[in-house]
Amino acid sequence: GLENLKSPCFMIGRSHHEALCNLGGRKIFVPQLDAFPISYWIEEQLGLSQKKWEQPLNVVHVCLMMAYHMGCSPIIFSGLDLSFPKEKKCHKSLNSTNLDHSHYGDYLEVKDIFGNPVLTMYQWIREAKFIQKFVEKHSEVEYLNATEGGMGIKGIENITLLEVNKKLEKAPSNLKERVNNSLDLKELSGSNVGLVLEGIYYSLNNVGSYLFRLQNLIKALLNEYESNGEVDETSYLNRYNNMLYLLKKEVAYEKLI
């Protein structure tokens, strides 16, 4: 089972905790740009890396970022054609009567790396653009496309698998050491995580208390107005503003609510 899997596992803040518990290997946390505000606060409290990973569009992008952050160079793509020949027919399960165009999008004609016409989709063009921008941003790394066909990606050299094999014969073999040095991992203790979660729980209780008191204050104001036809607005307003000030200082209010 997965509990016997000893390979390291990259995880994000939204990973399901029960699934993570079933993984036996080392767990490596990946900070993301699109995380919830409370996630940033937790990362800051735990002293986690501030190097945010871009938001990927598919699993290829995830693998690309993993390879980059592990210090891999060259990074080699294979099977990334992002297209299919014009004359190729769809599988019978995707015929015109049941093809959901809202999901698959309209087909577009482009040139492959040999100059031949092929079909692609807007989604694949977006995915190729993501890789192109990533390569431009991290140009210190060598990228090779060994797909041997397809649409190709601007800025990445096209190469055959045979040429890749010859190239890797001369590559250094200290990959494990390079990966460990590149990741700059920090060990987290369960006690530190527990303290942070305890702080969030305490803050949530405070938020609930302040909201309950604000609700009671408004009820008291309405009852007094109904009974007397007037209220001491200044007194209520001062108490209201004081509780609102304390409420907004709570991390649970600021980051969660």
Side-chain angles (χ1 to χ4, degrees):
L2 292 176
E3 63 276 5
N4 297 320
L5 183 65
K6 300 305 179 183
S7 300
C9 174
F10 286 81
M11 53 166 284
I12 61 174
R14 287 178 285 178
S15 302
H16 196 282
H17 70 283
E18 290 184 3
L20 290 175
C21 289
N22 289 329
L23 293 173
R26 192 178 190 186
K27 300 169 185 66
I28 302 173
F29 177 74
V30 176
Q32 287 192 294
L33 285 172
D34 70 331
F36 298 107
I38 190 64
S39 299
Y40 295 135
W41 181 84
I42 292 175
E43 292 169 21
E44 181 182 340
Q45 297 302 305
L46 294 175
L48 296 178
S49 171
Q50 297 304 306
K51 297 177 182 178
K52 308 297 182 187
W53 287 27
E54 292 90 339
Q55 176 61 19
L57 299 177
N58 61 20
V59 69
V60 174
H61 300 158
V62 175
C63 293
L64 167 61
M65 291 185 287
M66 286 171 58
Y68 171 78
H69 286 283
M70 287 192 295
C72 297
S73 183
I75 294 176
I76 303 165
F77 298 93
S78 180
L80 193 66
D81 50 7
L82 299 170
S83 62
F84 53 88
K86 283 187 66 176
E87 66 275 8
K88 187 175 179 65
K89 301 296 184 181
C90 290
H91 187 272
K92 61 182 180 181
S93 64
L94 294 177
N95 59 41
S96 59
T97 60
N98 61 21
L99 184 61
D100 181 1
H101 288 279
S102 64
H103 176 74
Y104 289 96
D106 296 325
Y107 299 127
L108 302 171
E109 182 176 316
V110 295
K111 299 290 185 182
D112 67 8
I113 62 175
F114 305 112
N116 301 317
V118 291
L119 294 178
T120 188
M121 297 189 292
Y122 285 112
Q123 175 184 342
W124 292 343
I125 292 176
R126 286 181 61 226
E127 293 169 1
K129 285 287 186 183
F130 180 99
I131 298 174
Q132 178 185 330
K133 290 181 179 179
F134 188 94
V135 168
E136 292 171 352
K137 183 177 179 180
H138 305 287
S139 57
E140 74 279 9
V141 171
E142 182 181 11
Y143 304 88
L144 301 171
N145 189 351
T147 302
E148 301 189 30
M151 186 169 62
I153 299 174
K154 185 178 179 181
I156 301 182
E157 176 188 354
N158 295 300
I159 188 173
T160 67
L161 283 172
L162 182 60
E163 291 171 319
V164 168
N165 187 53
K166 293 179 180 178
K167 191 179 187 72
L168 292 181
E169 287 178 354
K170 304 175 183 178
S173 58
N174 59 339
L175 179 60
K176 187 174 182 179
E177 180 182 345
R178 289 166 55 196
V179 168
N180 288 333
N181 292 336
S182 299
L183 286 175
D184 188 24
L185 299 178
K186 175 183 178 180
E187 294 290 344
L188 287 180
S189 69
S191 58
N192 288 344
V193 175
L195 286 173
V196 172
L197 295 179
E198 185 178 329
I200 296 173
Y201 178 77
Y202 178 79
S203 183
L204 279 171
N205 281 335
N206 287 343
V207 167
S209 175
Y210 289 134
L211 290 175
F212 181 74
R213 290 162 64 184
L214 283 169
Q215 183 184 44
N216 287 339
L217 182 65
I218 294 171
K219 287 181 179 178
L221 183 149
L222 293 175
N223 289 336
E224 183 175 337
Y225 181 79
E226 290 176 356
S227 300
N228 304 328
E230 59 181 6
V231 294
D232 182 358
E233 295 181 4
T234 303
S235 173
Y236 280 104
L237 189 59
N238 287 339
R239 283 182 284 171
Y240 177 86
N241 286 335
N242 181 56
M243 275 187 276
L244 193 61
Y245 170 77
L246 295 173
L247 173 66
K248 289 182 177 180
K249 287 185 67 176
E250 291 293 335
V251 65
Y253 179 85
E254 180 185 359
K255 306 298 184 182
L256 276 175
I257 301 177

